[in-house]
Structure formats: structure tokens, C-alpha cells
Amino acid sequence: MNSRRDFLQKLAASAAALPFLSAHHAFGNTELPHATAQDPTLRVALMGLGGYASRVAEAIQSCKRTKITGLISGTPAKLADWGTRFGVPETSRYNYENFDRIKDNPNIDAVYVITPNALHHDQVIRVAKAGKHAICEKPMALNAIEGQEMVDACTKAGVKLLVGYRMHFEPKTVEVVRMRAAGEFGAIKFFQGQCGFRIGDPTQWRLDKDLAGGGALMDIGVYAINGSRYMIGEEPVWVTAQETKTDPVKFKEGVDETILFQLGFPSGAVASCLSTYSMGYLDRFFLNGEKGFAEMQPSTGYGPIKGRTNKGELTQPHVTHQTLQMDAMAGIILDGNTPPVPVDGHEGLKDLKIIDAIYRACATGTKQELNLS
Ligand code: NAD
């Protein structure tokens, strides 16, 4: 028996005996302990009090070790309203001009940046300069140059940079990743990631290239990009891509409506992905190996995620993604825990490098080599 197969068989045997623990050991990482109310609490300031921040704020109410202790917004009425609702005193409410003063606030450990994509770069760098950890929404920035600058700024300031990749903590997703790492699907050959929705209001920032940085690829295609990496368990080495547009009035120059892209991995595995702003309910992952498959639909929405493998239904319970994410991030920031799938700035940067390459492939019609090391 070759040593790899031997290793995978041992892994599978230990997986059967210790299902949760081995999920994390399969990556060579430590297990993320379950949060308890006795653990130190991550005190977070939310920046950008819009739609997604509302969801995060509600989810934090069920967290065991995360609480909202600061707010940053350009709208005074929102600061007052959210401050009352979440018990944040006026002394911990800031606007976009004065939030650098957060450095003098001992009740804030981290800032969660939940603003339009184009603002992430400058805001994360200001957070780092204020000496606070940064959690940044996806996509981490508009391109890899910006992403690298954010990683460098956080390293220089000695603070952590995490990206809001909530799926990395979602139980059914983690189980499929565990099964793949344990060799239960055999050698992986193929991944399909299809992500899209029908976007409404044509005046929203998501359809403004200056604020969004692109179109569906930046916003929703990033789930297929990121998913292909954690589902296959390798880093892609090439990409090809094709763009199509049915509504050039709504989707202006530089705002992609639909992009098809293909990724090639060192083992020879391939991924075939689609991102779109013009198809309803498109949210599907499919992973196929020599011995088995996993199929998830919905695969990246707020849940419940549904899925099955060749061994049967995935039955892990649904927990609000952002509650799991924030308590896990408390452990990463305060205890130095290592999650099963990374959520740090380097992880966000790899996805930005792939996004850059997909846009180059669309523009040139040529295959782009990738070097994500
Ligand atoms: P949103 O439009 O609902 O909220 C954006 C907030 O930013 C608003 O409160 C707005 O007032 C504020 N803002 C500050 N400066 C602004 C400016 N110059 N122009 C426009 N708005 C400005 O958007 P959202 O859906 O909350 O998205 C925010 C971020 O969160 C995006 O990066 C998005 O990709 C990300 N997001 C992530 C998820 C996820 O599941 N992880 C889901 C939705 C959105």
C-alpha cells in the first residue's frame, strides 16, 4: 500500500472514531473549541450600518463570546438608533472622519468593516493604524495590489486581518471538507460552483464600478472561487474565463453580469464556475472524486444549507452562520486558534489574485497562469 493511501485510511479510521476532532486534524490544524460564556469576549465595533451589518448585529446577540461595543456610521440617526438598540454608549460611536480615535478606546478590540467594496482598503488600513484587529467583508478589496497593502499594514501594526468568510464555519460545509480531506471521495477530479441572483435596483452601489470594483464576480462569484479552493483542497494554477452580457444598460462598462470561469489545479482537478446577476436562486456546489461526490444546494446562502454525498444526506444542524463565525473569530483573535479553513488576509488575497486573473482572461481571451504561493 502506498504511503498516501495508508495515511488516508488511517485518517478515515480516526475520522470514524472521533468525527469532530479529526475534521480539524485532517488539515494539520487544531480543533476550534466550542465557545463558552467563560471565554474572554471579543469587543467589536461595526463599521457601515447597512443591510449585512444588521444581519451580523442580530447574529452577535446569540454569540457566547462576542459583543458589539462600538459603531461607525456616516448617519447620526443610525448611530443613535443602533446605539440604543445594542447598548453602545455615545463615547463609542464614531463617523468616517473621526474613527481613527478608536485607538484611544480600550473597550474595542476589533473593527468589522461592512461597507461597499471600494472602501475596504483604506478603512482596514486606518483600523490597523489605530492598533485594532480588522475583520473585513468579502471581497476583501478591489484587487490584489490593494489586498497586499492591507495584509502588509496589519502585519506592520501587529494586528490580525480576517475576512468574513462565514461558510468556513458552516457545519455541513466543514463536514464535506473533512470528508474530502479524509479521502472519502477518493482523488478529487471536478468541482462546480454556480453562484448568482437577480439584482434589483439599478442605482445601488453593487452596480457602480467605482464602489463595487466590478460586478457579480466580485460580489457573489467570490463564493465559487473560494469554494473551489476549500472543496478541492488545492490552489489553482491557471484560469480561463468568458463573459456574457444581456443587459448593457443595467450592467455598464466594468460591471460584469455573467462570467463563466474554469480553474485548473496541480493534481489535474478542474473547476467549472459561473457567477451572475441575472439568474434567480443559483446557489449550487458539486464536488466529484474517483469514489464519491458531494452536492450542496443551497450551498452559500444564509441557510439552512442542504446537501448530500454518495453516503447520504448531510444532517449537521443549522446554526446562524454569522453567530458561529463571530465566536470562532473571537477564538482566532483572542486565543490564537487555527480554523479548519483559513479566514485570514492571505486567504482573501489569494481570492483577489484569482479575481484579477479572471478579469484579465475575459479581457484577453487567453489562459492566465496563477501563482498563489
Ligand atoms: P449595504 O448597501 O446594505 O450597506 C452598506 C453600508 O455602507 C450602508 O450603511 C452605507 O450607508 C454605508 N456606506 C458608507 N460609505 C458609503 C458610500 N460611500 N457609499 C455607499 N454606502 C456607504 O451593503 P451590504 O449588503 O451591507 O454590503 C456591505 C459589504 O458586506 C459588502 O462588501 C458586501 O460584499 C458584504 N456582504 C457580505 C455578505 C456575506 O454573506 N458575507 C452579505 C452581504 C454583503
Side-chain angles (χ1 to χ4, degrees):
M1 183 184 294
N2 71 32
S3 59
R4 183 169 177 275
R5 196 178 303 150
D6 191 30
F7 167 73
L8 290 175
Q9 285 208 344
K10 281 185 185 148
L11 202 59
S14 66
L18 282 170
F20 187 69
L21 194 66
S22 56
H24 304 290
H25 287 172
F27 299 92
N29 293 324
T30 52
E31 181 190 3
L32 280 181
H34 292 291
T36 72
Q38 283 74 49
D39 292 318
T41 299
L42 182 72
R43 298 160 308 167
V44 181
L46 301 180
M47 180 186 298
L49 308 183
Y52 193 60
S54 299
R55 190 175 285 273
V56 170
E58 288 305 329
I60 288 176
Q61 305 315 303
S62 305
C63 279
K64 293 202 173 71
R65 55 176 311 190
T66 308
K67 67 178 181 189
I68 303 168
T69 58
L71 296 168
I72 301 149
S73 168
T75 312
K78 271 195 211 170
L79 283 173
D81 176 33
W82 285 52
T84 308
R85 269 167 53 208
F86 299 111
V88 177
E90 275 187 55
T91 48
S92 294
R93 303 177 197 166
Y94 302 86
N95 60 40
Y96 292 108
E97 283 71 48
N98 69 17
F99 77 78
D100 310 85
R101 287 190 210 150
I102 224 159
K103 71 173 182 302
D104 300 320
N105 191 327
N107 298 317
I108 294 171
D109 303 307
V111 177
Y112 195 164
V113 175
I114 319 184
T115 53
N117 308 342
L119 308 179
H120 296 176
H121 169 264
D122 288 6
Q123 290 170 340
V124 163
I125 290 175
R126 283 172 68 186
V127 167
K129 285 185 175 160
K132 304 296 181 184
H133 301 290
I135 304 171
C136 181
E137 254 318 313
K138 45 55 57 178
M140 190 171 91
L142 299 191
N143 53 54
I145 292 174
E146 283 192 0
Q148 185 68 60
E149 288 171 358
M150 294 157 77
V151 168
D152 292 345
C154 290
T155 305
K156 189 174 169 202
V159 297
K160 289 207 163 81
L161 169 57
L162 305 182
V163 185
Y165 286 135
R166 60 187 161 76
M167 300 315 296
H168 295 200
F169 308 101
E170 192 283 317
K172 293 185 181 73
T173 304
V174 171
E175 170 61 5
V176 171
V177 174
R178 183 202 66 76
M179 290 176 74
R180 183 266 300 152
E184 293 184 32
F185 305 130
I188 298 299
K189 299 292 178 184
F190 180 61
F191 172 78
Q192 215 173 18
Q194 298 163 333
C195 300
F197 62 95
R198 288 188 67 192
I199 197 155
D201 179 10
T203 66
Q204 64 184 287
W205 69 260
R206 280 182 169 78
L207 296 174
D208 176 345
K209 169 149 172 66
D210 290 343
L211 283 170
L217 185 70
M218 301 292 290
D219 190 37
I220 190 90
V222 68
Y223 286 100
I225 293 169
N226 190 248
S228 72
R229 295 176 46 238
Y230 64 68
M231 284 293 180
I232 293 180
E234 298 176 44
E235 300 298 0
V237 289
W238 57 257
V239 58
T240 50
Q242 307 80 36
E243 180 176 2
T244 179
K245 203 172 266 196
T246 63
D247 187 347
V249 175
K250 187 166 188 178
F251 305 102
K252 300 190 174 49
E253 183 70 29
V255 178
D256 49 285
E257 177 187 340
T258 301
I259 291 182
L260 265 165
F261 56 95
Q262 303 78 35
L263 300 164
F265 293 81
S267 66
V270 286
S272 170
C273 303
L274 180 86
S275 75
T276 184
Y277 267 158
S278 58
M279 297 177 208
Y281 303 99
L282 187 68
D283 183 4
R284 181 174 175 272
F285 277 8
F286 179 70
L287 181 72
N288 214 154
E290 282 177 337
K291 292 194 310 196
F293 72 89
E295 185 174 43
M296 306 175 84
Q297 185 175 18
S299 58
T300 65
Y302 298 131
I305 301 302
K306 289 194 180 135
R308 66 191 176 107
T309 72
N310 51 297
K311 296 185 175 172
E313 293 292 312
L314 291 163
T315 54
Q316 290 70 23
H318 172 68
V319 182
T320 303
H321 297 177
Q322 297 81 5
T323 303
L324 283 177
Q325 173 200 327
M326 293 311 295
D327 271 347
M329 287 186 168
I332 293 168
I333 290 173
L334 300 177
D335 304 340
N337 290 346
T338 308
V341 185
V343 285
D344 58 25
H346 294 283
E347 180 79 3
L349 180 56
K350 285 178 184 172
D351 290 335
L352 291 172
K353 287 180 178 172
I354 299 170
I355 287 173
D356 286 353
I358 291 172
Y359 282 134
R360 279 200 308 276
C362 286
T364 62
T366 60
K367 184 176 181 177
Q368 302 290 309
E369 304 296 326
L370 283 167
N371 182 1
L372 300 186
S373 56

